[in-house]
Amino acid sequence: MGVQNQTRVVEFVFLGFSGIPNSHLYLFLPFLAVYLVTVLGNLTIFTLIQLDSSLQSPMYYFLSHLSCLDICTSSVTVPKILMNFLYQQQTITYNECMAQMFFLMSFTGIEGALLAIMAYDRYAAICKPLHYSHLMNLKLCAVLAFATWVWGLLNSALHTALSSRLRFCGVNQIHHIFCDIPPLMKISCNDVHINQLVTHIASLFVGVAPFLFTILSYVFILCSILKIRSTTGKQKAFSTCASHLTVVIVYFGNALINYNRPSAGYSLETDTLVSTMFCIIPPMLNPLIYSLRNKEVKGALKKVLESQRKQ
């Protein structure tokens, strides 16, 4: 049963796919395809930014960090899901669960902060074009990117430390497809009020604050775009932030659904679908959004492909 002394759980069992008979037969290939598209797509975006001189701007500097985050986020959950499909057992050890939760929370928290910084970058480019090079200089970009990583890691370390103090009294079945704070608190047999309080407070800084900052940035951006007289100028200004705005809607929209849905009234299948939409699908969509809606990225990809053909 994976229990030591009837209190210490050393292994958890995921029930997220328990309602799907022979799930390993039907879901292995789709999850593998999503993971491969995620890794290859984000790796392509990252490589293009490093190779093409036309993509050496703050926006693409932050985009390269976003691509790394998407690869990391997907790699925290999907390989373990694929391994469980292969071995036909939905299990994870206690230590692996804590590690998975730590890195998953780190990367998703970093992404929220990074998207807020990217929104500020678009604000500076559109609303303060004459001061853009000063507002978003290389040193500041590096400091901001570093700060987002430190912020996400510290926030996750706090939650993981609190979660490691939870006791499960022999209950080792998680109604989820990966380790996360809400499902672990749900099966804990000791007091979780401190965990819940810290989770709610942290969500204000890690989730709500970046979201509101992003919305505020786009309010100013929209006001500036509306002041542009020519239709061509408006379209050009909006096109510079359309990809980022799409990614913001996908990320924060899925986060809102995932972490603010009612604790009761949802089936296990619905919870599994919502969790998949939040942690697995967005990392795959981000490189597609930036490659399909961004002329500079498409141009850089075209140049690389043409150079390969000539060789």
Side-chain angles (χ1 to χ4, degrees), residues 38 40 53 62-63 81 109 116-117 166 257 288 295 298 302:
T38 299
L40 293 176
S53 58
F62 293 125
L63 179 57
I81 292 173
I117 291 175
L166 295 176
I257 296 173
L288 297 177
K295 293 181 179 179
K298 287 191 289 186
K302 186 177 180 181

Side-chain angles (χ1 to χ4, degrees), residues 48-49 51-57 60 296-297 299-300 303:
L48 288 175
I49 293 172
L51 295 178
D52 197 285
S53 58
S54 66
L55 302 181
Q56 303 304 308
S57 67
Y60 293 108
E296 291 176 320
V297 172
K303 283 194 293 184

Side-chain angles (χ1 to χ4, degrees), residues 75-142:
S75 297
V76 169
T77 56
V78 181
K80 181 60 180 178
I81 292 173
L82 292 174
M83 283 184 60
N84 285 343
F85 282 149
L86 283 177
Y87 291 106
Q88 299 183 35
Q89 55 180 17
Q90 300 296 321
T91 59
I92 188 171
T93 66
Y94 177 87
N95 290 335
E96 287 176 344
C97 182
M98 291 296 108
Q100 185 183 67
M101 184 174 62
F102 170 77
F103 287 111
L104 181 62
M105 289 191 61
S106 296
F107 298 141
T108 53
I110 294 168
E111 183 162 345
L114 186 64
L115 289 174
I117 291 175
M118 293 174 75
Y120 175 75
D121 172 71
R122 292 299 83 208
Y123 160 79
I126 295 174
C127 302
K128 306 286 183 180
L130 298 179
H131 303 283
Y132 179 69
S133 59
H134 174 70
L135 291 173
M136 299 301 295
N137 59 74
L138 183 60
K139 183 179 180 180
L140 178 61
C141 290

Side-chain angles (χ1 to χ4, degrees), residues 49-286:
I49 293 172
Q50 306 309 311
L51 295 178
D52 197 285
S53 58
S54 66
L55 302 181
Q56 303 304 308
S57 67
M59 181 177 73
Y60 293 108
Y61 173 76
F62 293 125
L63 179 57
S64 67
H65 279 266
L66 182 63
S67 296
C68 289
L69 280 173
D70 285 336
I71 293 174
C72 293
T73 301
S74 187
S75 297
V76 169
T77 56
V78 181
K80 181 60 180 178
I81 292 173
L82 292 174
M83 283 184 60
N84 285 343
F85 282 149
L86 283 177
Y87 291 106
Q88 299 183 35
Q89 55 180 17
Q90 300 296 321
T91 59
I92 188 171
T93 66
Y94 177 87
N95 290 335
E96 287 176 344
C97 182
M98 291 296 108
Q100 185 183 67
M101 184 174 62
F102 170 77
F103 287 111
L104 181 62
M105 289 191 61
S106 296
F107 298 141
T108 53
I110 294 168
E111 183 162 345
L114 186 64
L115 289 174
I117 291 175
M118 293 174 75
Y120 175 75
D121 172 71
R122 292 299 83 208
Y123 160 79
I126 295 174
C127 302
K128 306 286 183 180
L130 298 179
H131 303 283
Y132 179 69
S133 59
H134 174 70
L135 291 173
M136 299 301 295
N137 59 74
L138 183 60
K139 183 179 180 180
L140 178 61
C141 290
V143 170
L144 289 174
F146 177 75
T148 61
W149 284 82
V150 172
W151 172 248
L153 291 170
L154 289 177
N155 171 68
S156 183
L158 173 62
H159 288 296
T160 305
L162 289 173
S163 297
S164 67
R165 299 172 63 87
L166 295 176
R167 293 295 175 262
F168 303 99
C169 301
V171 179
N172 69 336
Q173 295 183 328
I174 301 178
H175 295 261
H176 216 47
I177 59 174
F178 50 78
C179 288
D180 203 358
I181 292 178
L184 285 179
M185 287 196 297
K186 190 174 182 179
I187 65 172
S188 175
C189 60
N190 59 333
D191 188 15
V192 296
H193 285 97
I194 294 179
N195 298 65
Q196 291 175 335
L197 178 62
V198 172
T199 299
H200 290 317
I201 294 174
S203 67
L204 294 176
F205 294 97
V206 179
V208 177
F211 175 70
L212 293 179
F213 184 85
T214 302
I215 293 298
L216 184 62
S217 297
Y218 272 103
V219 168
F220 285 113
I221 289 172
L222 181 60
C223 291
S224 294
I225 291 176
L226 292 177
K227 291 178 182 179
I228 300 175
R229 295 182 178 181
S230 66
T231 303
T232 304
K234 290 181 179 179
Q235 291 176 345
K236 185 178 180 180
F238 184 75
S239 66
T240 62
C241 56
S243 298
H244 176 255
L245 183 58
T246 305
V247 171
V248 165
I249 293 172
V250 171
Y251 174 81
F252 285 109
N254 279 297
L256 182 66
I257 296 173
N258 188 63
Y259 288 109
N260 292 279
R261 64 187 187 274
S263 58
Y266 276 77
S267 66
L268 182 59
E269 291 76 12
T270 302
D271 281 341
T272 301
L273 176 61
V274 170
S275 300
T276 302
M277 289 299 296
F278 175 61
C279 291
I280 299 175
I281 301 302
M284 178 192 69
L285 293 179
N286 290 350

